[in-house]
Amino acid sequence: MNNDISSSQHFSYPFEVLQQIARDILGHAKKGGASACEANVSDGCGLNVTVRQGTVETIEHARDKGLSVTVYIGQKRGHASTSDFSPQAIGDTVAAALSIARHTSADDCAGLADAELLATSFPDLGLYHPWELSVEQAIELAQGCEAAALAADKRITNSEGATISINTSRFVYANSHGFAGGYPLSRHSISCAVIATEHDNMQRDYWYSVARDATDLESINDVGKKAGMRSIARLGAKKIATCEVPVLFEASIASSLIGHFTQAVSGASLYRKSSFLLDSMGKQVFSPDIQIRELPHIRKGLASCAFDDEGVATHERSVVESGIVQGYFLGSYSARKLGLRTTGNAGGNHNLVLENATPLPFLDLLKKMDKGLLVTELLGHGVNGVTGDYSRGATGFWVENGELCYPVEEITIAGNLKEMLRGIVGVGSDRIVRGSKQCGSLLIERMTVAGH
């Protein structure tokens, strides 16, 4: 467990206090009659500075703390939480969880993760890199980012602002199996959105970068310039006629397709039978050249961790191999419901990376598509996780002879996720890392594009 935190001034409490609170929670629970207990105690702070038209619009300082406790009386479960760290509040919160458990029906799948699966080593994954910026420095950076966007083209006429976001946090998770672990985290971002105008046409677009370490962020100038150029590129957008064509999802949004797959093969969706991929283990779901790996120990990874939300050790694994599903995403409860073993995914997935043997540069993907639609933004939430039916508003560019022709808007792309995943015929080498799922642009063989 990493408790050597040099920049403790970023937090409200010494790390040892969080550890002691977790121990106190477990002690109260045992004394109150719990047969098992788990506790999570966290502390964090942040700074968000937004500049619009060169002027400071908002400065937000945030301090956040909280604790949660889950108790088990046999297989009856109770949960409670509070943001008050006083001894009285801690005792009252544990008492509330115990009261809930006593009035709850027993569930034979409830309980802590199996003790033998808990993490015993805690590698330093480089997840904590505080960004030492004053408010004045953050304002200056945001102004520089917006200025770069406005300078990208004279047709950039307005701005929705540029934002610098700095966040640090740390936590302790402990349970009555004797497990205790925790570490500090950081997450920083730069974003910018501007408006381009030409004649009576106005278009907006944005760009952002996110990283654990500020030195890994895209430069202020690049974020601003990309926001500006993307807005300019959308000027003169047209409507198109309804058609069935190949669709290329730009890297910045392509990871959403991995998200739909992940949700469909996650424990809760499977045991509730609310998934379009029921009983998909060992079955072909993606095109044969697709691989998806889970890499929880990537240094500085946005979803890296040594253990999941239940203390279960995380491991590198192949989730999809040659398009065939090799594993689900399970916590202890959903695993028991399905008669399986937890995969260490309580709380979510850890750095999923989609690849194929021959990733293509973006321009080569356009050539491979020849004629069709490049999607750069998705709108709405028209995805049915039970049937896999997919229908979302979109904007992007029409492609002819492998080249961008003109921007398009007011269209809907539709299909079924089963067919879409099987229909991935190209993967870009232009991977963008912004969260727990990583991939380049994805070319889908055919979808319906509804226009006029």
Side-chain angles (χ1 to χ4, degrees):
M1 179 170 55
N2 181 4
N3 58 6
D4 180 18
I5 302 168
S6 58
S7 297
S8 57
Q9 69 268 22
H10 290 282
F11 303 106
S12 300
Y13 297 88
F15 191 70
E16 294 74 19
V17 170
L18 304 189
Q19 294 174 309
Q20 186 59 53
I21 291 172
R23 288 193 290 268
D24 290 345
I25 290 171
L26 298 180
H28 282 301
K30 184 176 181 180
K31 190 177 295 184
S35 54
C37 176
E38 55 189 337
N40 195 305
V41 188
S42 62
D43 176 24
C45 62
L47 169 68
N48 288 284
V49 172
T50 298
V51 165
R52 183 172 179 272
Q53 295 287 21
T55 302
V56 176
E57 189 164 74
T58 59
I59 299 173
E60 299 176 351
H61 287 276
R63 286 205 172 270
D64 189 27
K65 61 185 174 72
L67 65 86
S68 64
V69 54
T70 301
V71 299
Y72 299 92
I73 300 176
Q75 290 184 306
K76 299 165 70 173
R77 176 184 181 275
H79 177 83
S81 61
T82 183
S83 59
D84 187 343
F85 282 6
S86 69
Q88 180 67 44
I90 293 169
D92 289 347
T93 303
V94 175
L98 287 165
S99 177
I100 292 168
R102 292 189 183 99
H103 292 87
T104 300
S105 299
D107 184 337
D108 59 5
C109 294
L112 301 178
D114 295 341
E116 65 271 17
L117 300 179
L118 300 179
T120 55
S121 63
F122 306 94
D124 180 6
L125 300 177
L127 305 182
Y128 181 64
H129 300 271
W131 194 3
E132 306 293 356
L133 279 187
S134 66
V135 171
E136 292 74 21
Q137 289 171 320
I139 291 170
E140 186 177 339
L141 289 176
Q143 288 172 329
C145 185
E146 184 186 49
L150 295 171
D153 192 284
K154 62 182 180 182
R155 290 169 291 178
I156 303 292
T157 57
N158 207 339
S159 169
E160 291 186 357
T163 299
I164 303 295
S165 179
I166 304 167
N167 288 282
T168 57
S169 63
R170 59 184 174 184
F171 75 98
V172 171
Y173 169 82
N175 65 35
S176 51
H177 282 325
F179 178 90
Y183 43 84
L185 305 159
S186 59
R187 189 182 184 97
H188 314 301
S189 66
I190 304 166
S191 62
C192 184
V194 291
I195 297 166
T197 305
E198 188 171 51
H199 307 304
D200 293 330
N201 183 228
M202 295 178 67
Q203 295 288 343
R204 168 203 176 273
D205 212 328
Y206 65 96
W207 195 252
Y208 72 96
S209 178
V210 58
R212 296 281 190 193
D213 186 342
T215 62
D216 296 325
L217 292 168
E218 293 182 48
S219 73
I220 292 294
N221 189 65
D222 284 351
V223 171
K225 186 175 181 180
K226 286 180 183 179
M229 296 310 296
R230 288 173 69 88
S231 298
I232 290 297
R234 289 171 65 156
L235 287 170
K238 304 175 183 179
K239 300 177 185 178
I240 57 174
T242 297
C243 54
E244 281 196 9
V245 291
V247 172
L248 177 59
F249 286 75
E250 188 183 42
S252 59
I253 58 171
S255 60
S256 65
L257 295 178
I258 311 177
H260 298 312
F261 161 73
T262 304
Q263 180 64 34
V265 294
S266 292
S269 297
L270 294 171
Y271 78 72
R272 291 170 179 157
K273 300 192 181 302
S274 58
S275 166
F276 68 94
L277 291 178
L278 291 176
D279 303 316
S280 58
M281 186 77 79
K283 295 180 180 176
Q284 193 88 38
V285 168
F286 287 83
S287 50
D289 63 340
I290 297 296
Q291 327 292 330
I292 298 179
R293 293 180 299 149
E294 185 171 37
L295 305 172
H297 299 159
I298 294 176
R299 186 165 179 80
K300 296 185 182 181
L302 291 173
S304 292
C305 59
F307 54 87
D308 73 358
D309 286 2
E310 299 177 316
V312 173
T314 54
H315 301 282
E316 179 178 332
R317 65 181 179 131
S318 177
V319 177
V320 172
E321 194 171 310
S322 300
I324 298 171
V325 176
Q326 306 294 314
Y328 294 149
F329 297 91
L330 309 174
S332 295
Y333 183 81
S334 59
R336 290 170 188 145
K337 279 282 192 182
L338 295 165
L340 300 170
R341 180 166 130 160
T342 177
T343 57
N345 291 109
N349 62 269
H350 317 297
N351 300 322
L352 292 185
V353 180
L354 183 149
E355 300 171 316
N356 74 348
T358 54
L360 298 173
F362 179 73
L363 293 179
D364 288 353
L365 277 178
L366 288 178
K367 290 184 175 66
K368 183 180 177 74
M369 179 166 64
D370 186 45
K371 178 180 179 179
L373 177 71
L374 166 66
V375 177
T376 58
E377 186 173 10
L378 293 167
L379 310 166
H381 303 281
V383 181
N384 187 320
V386 179
T387 64
D389 289 338
Y390 185 99
S391 178
R392 297 191 67 180
T395 60
F397 296 84
W398 186 251
V399 177
E400 295 266 6
N401 299 317
E403 295 185 354
L404 301 180
C405 290
Y406 51 83
V408 296
E409 63 182 1
E410 295 182 25
I411 55 172
T412 300
I413 56 172
N416 185 277
L417 283 165
K418 279 188 177 182
E419 297 165 3
M420 291 165 64
L421 299 179
R422 286 288 293 271
I424 295 175
V425 293
V427 177
S429 57
D430 53 343
R431 186 189 305 168
I432 295 177
V433 180
R434 287 179 172 174
S436 66
K437 303 166 186 69
Q438 305 174 21
C439 67
S441 300
L442 296 178
L443 177 59
I444 309 297
E445 188 171 31
R446 187 159 295 271
M447 292 183 71
T448 298
V449 179
H452 57 73

